[in-house]
Amino acid sequence: MTTAATSETTLRVRYAETDKMGVVYYANYLVWFEVARTEWLRAHGWTYREMEAGGAMLPVIGVQCEYLRSAQYDESITIRTIGILHSPVRVEFTYEVFKQDGTVAARGTTMHAAVDLKGKPCRLPEKVREVFA
Amino acid sequence: MTTAATSETTLRVRYAETDKMGVVYYANYLVWFEVARTEWLRAHGWTYREMEAGGAMLPVIGVQCEYLRSAQYDESITIRTIGILHSPVRVEFTYEVFKQDGTVAARGTTMHAAVDLKGKPCRLPEKVREVFA
Amino acid sequence: MTTAATSETTLRVRYAETDKMGVVYYANYLVWFEVARTEWLRAHGWTYREMEAGGAMLPVIGVQCEYLRSAQYDESITIRTIGILHSPVRVEFTYEVFKQDGTVAARGTTMHAAVDLKGKPCRLPEKVREVFA
Amino acid sequence: MTTAATSETTLRVRYAETDKMGVVYYANYLVWFEVARTEWLRAHGWTYREMEAGGAMLPVIGVQCEYLRSAQYDESITIRTIGILHSPVRVEFTYEVFKQDGTVAARGTTMHAAVDLKGKPCRLPEKVREVFA
């Protein structure tokens, strides 16, 4: 198991992401996780788009998220992401979502399995595995 | 130009569809329009899924929507849809969105162009054109 | 800890809920969970809307979901939901998401804390606690 | 009628924003419009959040959008926005959505009516009207 360096992404909360409770709807944190891991890959010299073009995908096979403080409309949110290669076919990302005041809004994890374009399990491309090294 | 009969779809407003103003976020009406035209096709003996499997798609090339009254969480919404065949390559749907109390929440229109799976303009399958007859 | 009876909800996959992988985007299962627990409450004589009107909310404080098989556009999905009262201030729901062919697409859990309209922890209304009995 | 200067916003297409056709789902352009007008206000010294805090909201009463070319996952999108004050109670925004290669993906317009926090029509705050001057 190898841990790659942390990356950070910043985004601003959209009105569309709030709900009638006045804060960000819980499912939207998973969308932010997707943005964060895309940026993590890019920060390490790869794009998810290239990986898909190269014939490999990383569908999510599990997610968990813990919500600590609500996030507000128009707040500037920072997500700190860590990628972990569990095996040549399995990758995990962990996320910490920070509010503008530096407190933690949420913490989460996604687990991914490498599959080819037909959805069959496959080894991650060597180039992508190196990203995690 | 041929007008097919009206169809009606009912759905219940999801919490996810509201925003911090406490009512349904404006972009979600377009999602409801998609649900409504899918049900319109089904009510006329076709499914959009079959059409795609048959090699034709109907991407939206234009939309307009007028918002009259806001829709609330958990409200039962009814959408009355009319499909219009403008030409062998162009289809229009019009929508009226009714609140639970029978008043109109919104009115809209989507215009669609038939394309094949590569995105090239094509004639709508004969079978689909007949739906509008 | 008391377990209430199961309820079932059925919904049809929207085009909007798919992504470029051709199947349902992973965050949308959490939206379905919300629909399912709303229907669970309704099946037991309560609505989330009434509860909010009564001054209590049940924000999600944790979620986990395991994805087993992908769900397709236009598929009819059934969600089996169980509600569990952990304490006067904490509720859990578990969900099983079934594909049209009866296989399991996903399994998940959400944990909720009762709060008043100002976001302060509070006891669940007696009437709601009875639902779980 | 007064036209304020243009502002530009850039965003990157999220995987969540695509659908099974492989490109951005049509309703998501309206979410981008919301991001763009929020940034327009900010660029002119105001935030929508402050305006709401000050007791005025600008719900959308009409929208139209024309789709010219599809937008792809991970593409960098630029939106050029113009705000127009039609009257002390009515505001319009127009949007041009540019793809990474500089071609136009979509063009749209939203019309807004100023209302107070109870949803009653009201005059836009003087400070906001000045933004459009």
Side-chain angles (χ1 to χ4, degrees):
Chain A
M1 193 173 106
T2 324
T3 304
T6 297
S7 85
E8 284 198 1
T9 315
T10 296
L11 51 81
R12 200 178 276 277
V13 178
R14 301 172 173 187
Y15 211 92
E17 292 170 338
T18 63
D19 66 23
K20 73 187 283 287
M21 215 182 285
V23 296
V24 174
Y25 183 71
Y26 84 127
N28 292 325
Y29 287 80
L30 274 61
V31 176
W32 295 354
F33 291 171
E34 173 235 306
V35 172
R37 63 182 175 263
T38 295
E39 294 307 324
W40 185 92
L41 276 173
R42 196 189 318 281
H44 292 82
W46 250 89
T47 67
Y48 190 77
R49 192 173 42 172
E50 282 173 300
M51 189 169 63
E52 277 198 358
M57 298 190 294
L58 278 178
V60 179
I61 57 171
V63 63
Q64 66 82 13
C65 184
E66 183 185 4
Y67 303 90
L68 305 170
R69 293 166 61 91
S70 55
Q72 315 288 327
Y73 166 58
D74 209 42
E75 215 179 323
S76 176
I77 296 292
T78 300
I79 307 168
R80 193 174 295 159
T81 309
I82 300 173
I84 303 163
L85 187 68
H86 277 285
S87 76
V89 300
R90 192 156 293 201
V91 173
E92 184 184 288
F93 291 96
T94 66
Y95 315 89
E96 265 194 311
V97 179
F98 294 93
K99 288 169 64 67
Q100 206 161 325
D101 64 9
T103 59
V104 177
R107 282 196 191 91
T109 307
T110 54
M111 184 65 78
H112 304 254
V115 299
D116 63 23
L117 297 183
K118 287 177 180 162
K120 283 200 178 164
C122 70
R123 293 168 70 86
L124 272 172
E126 176 68 24
K127 246 178 111 177
V128 176
R129 272 182 286 151
E130 280 166 10
V131 168
F132 291 88
Chain B
M1 191 176 106
T2 323
T3 305
T6 295
S7 85
E8 285 197 358
T9 313
T10 297
L11 52 80
R12 199 178 277 279
V13 178
R14 301 173 173 185
Y15 211 91
E17 293 170 338
T18 62
D19 66 22
K20 75 187 281 288
M21 217 182 282
V23 296
V24 174
Y25 184 71
Y26 85 127
N28 291 325
Y29 286 80
L30 274 60
V31 176
W32 294 355
F33 291 172
E34 174 236 304
V35 172
R37 63 182 175 263
T38 295
E39 294 307 323
W40 185 92
L41 276 173
R42 195 189 316 281
H44 292 83
W46 250 88
T47 67
Y48 189 78
R49 192 175 40 173
E50 283 174 299
M51 191 168 62
E52 278 197 357
M57 298 190 294
L58 278 178
V60 179
I61 56 171
V63 62
Q64 66 83 15
C65 184
E66 183 184 6
Y67 302 89
L68 305 169
R69 292 167 61 88
S70 57
Q72 314 288 327
Y73 166 58
D74 209 42
E75 217 180 321
S76 176
I77 296 292
T78 300
I79 306 168
R80 193 174 292 158
T81 310
I82 298 174
I84 302 163
L85 187 68
H86 277 285
S87 76
V89 301
R90 192 157 293 202
V91 173
E92 184 184 288
F93 290 96
T94 66
Y95 315 88
E96 266 194 311
V97 179
F98 294 94
K99 287 169 64 67
Q100 207 161 323
D101 65 9
T103 58
V104 176
R107 283 196 190 89
T109 306
T110 54
M111 185 66 79
H112 304 255
V115 298
D116 63 22
L117 297 184
K118 286 176 182 164
K120 284 200 177 164
C122 71
R123 294 168 69 86
L124 271 173
E126 175 69 22
K127 247 178 110 178
V128 176
R129 274 182 283 150
E130 279 166 9
V131 168
F132 291 88
Chain C
M1 191 174 107
T2 323
T3 304
T6 297
S7 84
E8 284 197 0
T9 315
T10 297
L11 52 80
R12 200 178 276 279
V13 178
R14 301 171 173 188
Y15 211 92
E17 292 170 339
T18 62
D19 66 21
K20 74 188 281 287
M21 217 182 282
V23 295
V24 174
Y25 183 71
Y26 85 126
N28 292 325
Y29 286 81
L30 274 60
V31 177
W32 295 354
F33 291 171
E34 173 235 305
V35 172
R37 64 182 175 262
T38 295
E39 294 308 323
W40 185 93
L41 276 173
R42 196 188 317 282
H44 291 84
W46 251 87
T47 67
Y48 190 77
R49 191 174 42 173
E50 282 174 302
M51 190 168 63
E52 277 198 358
M57 299 191 294
L58 278 177
V60 179
I61 56 171
V63 64
Q64 65 82 14
C65 184
E66 183 184 5
Y67 302 89
L68 306 169
R69 293 166 61 88
S70 56
Q72 315 289 326
Y73 166 58
D74 209 42
E75 216 179 323
S76 176
I77 296 293
T78 300
I79 306 168
R80 194 175 293 159
T81 310
I82 298 174
I84 302 164
L85 187 68
H86 277 285
S87 76
V89 300
R90 192 157 293 203
V91 172
E92 184 184 288
F93 291 96
T94 66
Y95 315 88
E96 265 194 312
V97 179
F98 294 93
K99 287 170 63 68
Q100 206 161 326
D101 65 9
T103 58
V104 176
R107 284 196 190 91
T109 305
T110 54
M111 184 66 78
H112 304 256
V115 299
D116 63 23
L117 297 183
K118 287 177 181 162
K120 284 201 178 164
C122 70
R123 293 168 69 86
L124 271 173
E126 176 69 24
K127 247 178 111 177
V128 176
R129 275 182 282 150
E130 280 166 10
V131 168
F132 291 88
Chain D
M1 192 174 106
T2 324
T3 304
T6 296
S7 84
E8 284 197 359
T9 315
T10 297
L11 51 82
R12 199 178 277 278
V13 178
R14 301 172 174 187
Y15 211 91
E17 292 170 338
T18 62
D19 66 22
K20 73 188 282 288
M21 216 182 282
V23 296
V24 174
Y25 183 71
Y26 84 127
N28 292 325
Y29 287 80
L30 274 62
V31 176
W32 295 354
F33 291 172
E34 173 236 306
V35 171
R37 64 182 175 262
T38 295
E39 294 308 323
W40 186 93
L41 276 173
R42 196 188 318 279
H44 291 83
W46 250 89
T47 68
Y48 189 77
R49 191 175 42 172
E50 282 174 301
M51 190 168 63
E52 277 198 359
M57 298 190 294
L58 278 178
V60 179
I61 56 172
V63 63
Q64 65 83 16
C65 184
E66 183 185 4
Y67 303 90
L68 305 169
R69 294 166 61 88
S70 55
Q72 316 288 326
Y73 166 58
D74 209 42
E75 216 179 323
S76 175
I77 296 293
T78 300
I79 307 169
R80 194 174 294 157
T81 309
I82 299 173
I84 303 164
L85 187 69
H86 277 284
S87 76
V89 301
R90 192 156 293 202
V91 173
E92 184 184 287
F93 290 95
T94 66
Y95 314 89
E96 265 194 311
V97 179
F98 294 93
K99 287 169 65 67
Q100 207 160 325
D101 65 8
T103 58
V104 177
R107 283 196 190 91
T109 307
T110 53
M111 184 66 78
H112 303 256
V115 299
D116 63 23
L117 296 184
K118 287 177 179 163
K120 285 200 175 163
C122 70
R123 294 168 70 86
L124 272 172
E126 176 68 23
K127 247 177 111 177
V128 177
R129 273 181 285 149
E130 279 165 10
V131 169
F132 291 88

